[in-house]
């Protein structure tokens, strides 16, 4: 992805979408955030632009359909799981020719310390089944804290596991995510999302626990020190 390519983030008005939008804009990526309400997306983009350091690319805001159409190649889906399938069904035709980066985790209703996986096995696999093999779906960024993402002065404190059935699409997504200053790892086919997505409620449980001296932890791949 070149500096002039435009990335769409659907659900960009939510905490994780906002953090990602500002991080990518700070890194020189042109970003448009999408929402069901285009006016709200425009208002939120103005708020985010006011928080960006000097030299960042300015963020645009519009409705989900226009945001998807505006994206050159990559679209990040960052909506609550309850809106996952409805959003994809609405945008299926518009996503043709693009790569969907699905960061959604199917957290259990009223219990973020557990997941309820769909029959396909994971949200990533569900998206691929819904969209068909003609639209590559890549799972990524499931385990990064929204709080961390929004603290622009701090470096992201974890690695990013990436999975999907099409290698070329995964490599493109990995190159994009690495613009955030993180390490990415090819974690295998889309079925690996069953494990990756399931890590999120474990992290949430740890991060809210009074028994550990930290919060907003992520996953790090630790190579041997010898």
């Amino acid at each position: 992805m070149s500096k002039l390519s435009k990335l769409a983030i659907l659900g960009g008005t939510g905490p994780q979408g906002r953090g990602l939008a500002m991080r990518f804009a700070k890194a020189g990526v042109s970003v448009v955030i999408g929402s069901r309400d285009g006016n709200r997306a425009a208002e939120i983009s103005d708020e985010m632009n006011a928080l960006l350091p000097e030299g960042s690319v300015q963020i645009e805001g519009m409705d989900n359909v226009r945001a998807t159409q505006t994206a050159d190649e990559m679209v990040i889906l960052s909506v609550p799981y309850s809106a996952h399938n409805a959003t994809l069904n609405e945008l299926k035709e518009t996503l043709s020719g693009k790569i969907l980066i699905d960061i959604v985790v199917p957290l259990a209703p009223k219990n973020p310390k557990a997941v309820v996986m769909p029959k396909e096995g994971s949200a990533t696999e569900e998206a691929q089944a819904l969209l068909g093999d003609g639209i590559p779906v890549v799972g990524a960024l499931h385990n990064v804290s929204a709080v961390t993402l929004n603290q622009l002065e701090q470096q992201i404190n974890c690695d990013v596991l990436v999975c999907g059935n099409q290698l070329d699409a995964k490599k493109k997504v990995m190159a994009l995510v690495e613009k955030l200053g993180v390490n990415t790892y090819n974690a295998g086919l889309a079925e690996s999302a069953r494990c990756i997505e399931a890590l999120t409620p474990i992290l949430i449980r740890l991060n809210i626990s009074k028994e550990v001296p930290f919060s907003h932890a992520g996953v790090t791949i630790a190579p041997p020190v010898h």
Side-chain angles (χ1 to χ4, degrees), residues 140-142 144 156 158-162 177 182-186 219:
L141 295 161
H142 298 103
V144 186
I156 295 174
C158 61
D159 300 325
V160 175
L161 302 175
V162 180
V177 174
V182 299
N183 295 321
T184 63
Y185 292 92
N186 181 354
V219 173

Side-chain angles (χ1 to χ4, degrees), residues 81-103:
Y81 181 64
S82 59
H84 184 259
N85 287 8
T87 302
L88 291 177
N89 278 315
E90 177 188 8
L91 299 172
K92 183 175 181 178
E93 292 185 7
T94 314
L95 284 166
S96 178
K98 305 184 191 297
I99 297 170
L100 179 74
I101 306 169
D102 197 332
I103 74 171

